[in-house]
Amino acid sequence: MAASASCLLSLLVVVVLAALASAQLSSTFYDTSCPSALSTISSGVTAAVAQEARVGASLLRLHFHDCFVQGCDASVLLNDTSGEQNQIPNQTLNPRGFDVFDSIKAQVEAVCPGIVSCADILAVAARDGVVALGGPSWTVALGRRDSTASFPAQTSDLPPPTSSLQQLLRAYSKKNLNQTDMVALSGAHTIGQAQCLSFNDHIYNDTNINPAFAMSLRTNCPASGSSSLAPLDAMTPTAFDNAYYTNLLSQRGLLHSDQELFNNGSADSTVSSFAANAAAFTSAFATAMVKMGNLSPLTGSQGQVRINCWRVNG
Ligand code: HEM
Ligand SMILES: *[C@@H]1O[C@H](CO)[C@@H](O)[C@H](O)[C@H]1NC(C)=O
Ligand SMILES: *[C@@H]1O[C@H](CO)[C@@H](O)[C@H](O)[C@H]1NC(C)=O
Ligand SMILES: *[C@@H]1O[C@H](CO)[C@@H](O)[C@H](O)[C@H]1NC(C)=O
Ligand SMILES: *[C@@H]1O[C@H](CO)[C@@H](O)[C@H](O)[C@H]1NC(C)=O
Ligand SMILES: CC(=O)N[C@H]1CO[C@H](CO)[C@@H](O)[C@@H]1O
């Protein structure tokens, strides 16, 4: 009895997984239902980034945190007190990113009420933020639906900045992203800011860091950590370029996890090739963003299209 029940259960799991795997996202999903969706998002992001460059980075990071926790289902945006936002990794999301996102969603709702999901807007806004800062573009597949729940326990799928190379590889392989994808996606740290508390151990205690670089950061960052900010890429903090990798070659990665990618390990050669060849980086980044954006979407009649991204409808 127990055996046949568990057999039925695993059959059910297989069927559900097959249904999810076959559910297709499509770049033309809103072409008839909301033809102005993409242009509305893009002009909203472009205006916000023109006002404050960091917003492009904050929107990109929101999409990453969304996709790595359960799937790209906008669960990261739910802000009831038990949700993902109250988990440690999300306490460092820039609140400005949420504000800008809410205003873009409101603009989309004004032209097409109840049609365009928060998860799709996140995916498109991440791409448009990268483009606004001079990075590559790619085609975003659409048709994701929004979750009706948050998954706080799964925020542990987001690797912390203290991660070793092995821990990073494991976290990405859990999401079917390989080492090349991992090194390419980490290049997102060519834009945006981090708080002292995310790298104080690296600048005070690590040896694989340029001593002058560590010293200069200590000026504004006490050993106990703080919420003061430093650019993830000190060279060109608001340009989406390949300077992240040239920084790693001279041991100027800001986070411990950044420098792990170039520390006499298996990722060194990919870091060197992206440092030497900006086009190789941008192409690998775009490919990996598409892969990440396809993580376990809700499609069809699953989930819902939330009207307010921060709460479930109803
Ligand atoms: C490899 C694993 C990763 C780790 C350990 C990591 C960790 C972090 C940390 C600790 C911060 C700074 C948070 C703070 O102190 O306020 C940060 C910022 C950021 N991360 Fe990552 N991250 C990773 C991967 C990614 C990926 C895959 C993306 C996007 C594709 C991304 C995009 C960003 C961006 C754009 C920022 C700056 C955000 C802003 O300025 O608002 N990160 N990351
Ligand atoms: C959630 O976010 C919305 C929109 O920014 C805000 O009005 C609301 O007060 C927030 N709720 C909580 C519990 O933080
Ligand atoms: C990793 O994935 C990329 C596509 O994202 C692919 O081009 C590459 O061949 C893969 N590498 C390995 C070692 O499987
Ligand atoms: C540096 O390492 C020492 C010894 O492990 C530890 O007590 C201290 O808290 C660390 N400092 C920082 C800033 O992480
Ligand atoms: C790699 O190892 C060599 C020799 O052991 C050492 O000189 C070098 O500093 C190391 N490089 C990095 C990035 O750790
Ligand atoms: C950006 C954001 O919503 N951050 C929240 C993270 O969680 C803390 C509570 O632990 C909230 O106070 C923040 O507003």
Side-chain angles (χ1 to χ4, degrees):
M1 180 64 204
S4 77
S6 92
C7 184
L8 261 180
L9 188 66
S10 37
L11 185 67
L12 189 68
V13 167
V14 168
V15 169
V16 168
L17 285 179
L20 287 178
S22 66
Q24 290 292 312
L25 299 178
S26 152
S27 63
T28 59
F29 190 82
Y30 296 112
D31 280 9
T32 50
S33 60
C34 186
S36 57
L38 294 187
S39 60
T40 304
I41 300 167
S42 144
S43 50
V45 171
T46 307
V49 172
Q51 209 170 66
E52 184 190 352
R54 187 186 175 196
V55 162
S58 304
L59 291 171
L60 175 59
R61 189 171 185 230
L62 268 182
H63 179 50
F64 162 56
H65 277 225
D66 184 31
C67 293
F68 260 57
V69 180
Q70 178 71 19
C72 311
D73 58 4
S75 54
V76 69
L77 299 174
L78 292 172
N79 70 353
D80 58 37
T81 48
S82 58
E84 285 166 33
Q85 283 187 23
N86 287 314
Q87 301 299 303
I88 287 166
N90 287 319
Q91 289 173 13
T92 63
L93 289 166
N94 180 5
R96 268 295 284 152
F98 292 97
D99 295 347
V100 167
F101 187 85
D102 285 345
S103 113
I104 291 169
K105 167 69 172 175
Q107 291 166 43
V108 174
E109 283 297 305
V111 291
C112 309
I115 302 287
V116 186
S117 70
C118 303
D120 277 345
I121 300 176
L122 272 176
V124 174
R127 189 263 321 263
D128 292 345
V130 167
V131 170
L133 294 172
S137 190
W138 59 89
T139 302
V140 179
L142 301 164
R144 297 169 193 77
R145 301 199 19 119
D146 301 325
S147 71
T148 53
S150 190
F151 306 93
Q154 293 181 40
T155 51
S156 61
D157 282 0
L158 289 163
T162 48
S163 301
S164 67
L165 177 61
Q166 284 317 309
Q167 288 168 328
L168 293 171
L169 289 170
R170 220 173 300 127
Y172 281 75
S173 85
K174 195 172 168 186
K175 307 292 173 188
N176 290 317
L177 295 165
N178 68 26
Q179 178 167 281
T180 307
D181 299 323
M182 190 272 276
V183 175
L185 288 170
S186 302
H189 290 175
T190 181
I191 52 175
Q193 310 267 326
Q195 301 167 69
C196 246
L197 50 86
S198 297
F199 57 82
N200 58 326
D201 55 344
H202 183 52
I203 63 173
Y204 281 95
N205 273 342
D206 277 350
T207 53
N208 62 340
I209 183 169
N210 177 289
F213 178 65
M215 204 54 93
S216 71
L217 286 162
R218 286 179 200 173
T219 319
N220 287 315
C221 183
S224 55
S226 76
S227 58
S228 302
L229 294 170
L232 283 153
D233 164 17
M235 289 295 191
T236 51
T238 59
F240 196 100
D241 57 16
N242 65 340
Y244 171 80
Y245 301 100
T246 45
N247 291 337
L248 296 184
L249 297 185
S250 65
Q251 297 193 308
R252 286 177 171 82
L254 184 64
L255 307 178
H256 173 83
S257 51
D258 288 328
Q259 197 58 55
E260 279 291 292
L261 303 187
F262 192 79
N263 192 27
N264 283 330
S266 61
D268 283 17
S269 59
T270 309
V271 168
S272 301
S273 81
F274 289 166
N277 185 342
F281 161 54
T282 51
S283 149
F285 182 79
T287 301
M289 283 298 292
V290 170
K291 270 174 127 171
M292 188 179 84
N294 288 344
L295 285 171
S296 310
L298 299 172
T299 56
S301 59
Q302 298 171 318
Q304 59 180 214
V305 172
R306 279 187 233 136
I307 305 301
N308 292 301
C309 294
W310 70 87
R311 67 157 188 245
V312 171
N313 296 343

Short mmCIF file of all heavy atoms in Angstrom, two decimals, residues 85-86 90-91 93 95 98, ligand 6:
data_model
loop_
_atom_site.label_atom_id
_atom_site.label_comp_id
_atom_site.label_asym_id
_atom_site.label_seq_id
_atom_site.Cartn_x
_atom_site.Cartn_y
_atom_site.Cartn_z
N GLN A 85 11.62 38.57 1.36
CA GLN A 85 12.33 39.82 1.61
C GLN A 85 12.87 39.91 3.02
O GLN A 85 13.78 40.68 3.28
CB GLN A 85 11.42 41.01 1.35
CG GLN A 85 11.25 41.29 -0.13
CD GLN A 85 10.49 42.56 -0.37
OE1 GLN A 85 10.46 43.44 0.48
NE2 GLN A 85 9.89 42.68 -1.52
N ASN A 86 12.27 39.14 3.93
CA ASN A 86 12.76 39.21 5.29
C ASN A 86 13.91 38.25 5.55
O ASN A 86 14.44 38.20 6.65
CB ASN A 86 11.61 38.98 6.27
CG ASN A 86 10.71 40.19 6.32
OD1 ASN A 86 11.19 41.31 6.39
ND2 ASN A 86 9.43 39.98 6.23
N ASN A 90 17.95 39.04 1.10
CA ASN A 90 17.13 40.11 0.56
C ASN A 90 17.14 41.36 1.41
O ASN A 90 16.66 42.40 0.99
CB ASN A 90 15.71 39.60 0.34
CG ASN A 90 15.67 38.68 -0.86
OD1 ASN A 90 16.30 38.94 -1.86
ND2 ASN A 90 14.96 37.59 -0.72
N GLN A 91 17.70 41.27 2.57
CA GLN A 91 17.82 42.48 3.37
C GLN A 91 18.81 43.45 2.73
O GLN A 91 18.84 44.62 3.08
CB GLN A 91 18.23 42.15 4.80
CG GLN A 91 17.09 41.48 5.55
CD GLN A 91 17.50 40.99 6.92
OE1 GLN A 91 18.56 41.34 7.42
NE2 GLN A 91 16.68 40.15 7.51
N LEU A 93 18.86 43.96 -0.64
CA LEU A 93 18.35 44.48 -1.90
C LEU A 93 18.10 45.98 -1.74
O LEU A 93 17.56 46.42 -0.72
CB LEU A 93 17.06 43.76 -2.29
CG LEU A 93 17.23 42.30 -2.74
CD1 LEU A 93 15.89 41.58 -2.77
CD2 LEU A 93 17.91 42.22 -4.10
N PRO A 95 16.29 49.21 -1.66
CA PRO A 95 14.85 49.55 -1.65
C PRO A 95 14.43 50.40 -2.84
O PRO A 95 13.29 50.30 -3.29
CB PRO A 95 14.69 50.33 -0.33
CG PRO A 95 15.85 49.95 0.50
CD PRO A 95 16.97 49.60 -0.43
N PHE A 98 12.84 48.41 -5.65
CA PHE A 98 11.42 48.07 -5.49
C PHE A 98 10.54 49.25 -5.88
O PHE A 98 9.51 49.09 -6.53
CB PHE A 98 11.11 47.66 -4.05
CG PHE A 98 11.74 46.35 -3.63
CD1 PHE A 98 12.95 46.32 -2.94
CD2 PHE A 98 11.13 45.15 -3.94
CE1 PHE A 98 13.52 45.12 -2.57
CE2 PHE A 98 11.69 43.93 -3.56
CZ PHE A 98 12.90 43.92 -2.88
C1 LIG B 6 14.30 45.95 0.34
C2 LIG B 6 13.50 45.30 1.41
O1 LIG B 6 12.33 45.09 1.29
N1 LIG B 6 14.16 44.94 2.46
C3 LIG B 6 13.50 44.36 3.60
C4 LIG B 6 14.28 43.16 4.04
O2 LIG B 6 13.81 42.67 5.25
C5 LIG B 6 13.83 43.61 6.30
C6 LIG B 6 13.34 42.93 7.56
O3 LIG B 6 14.20 41.92 7.94
C7 LIG B 6 12.95 44.79 5.99
O4 LIG B 6 13.03 45.73 7.03
C8 LIG B 6 13.42 45.41 4.70
O5 LIG B 6 12.55 46.44 4.32
#
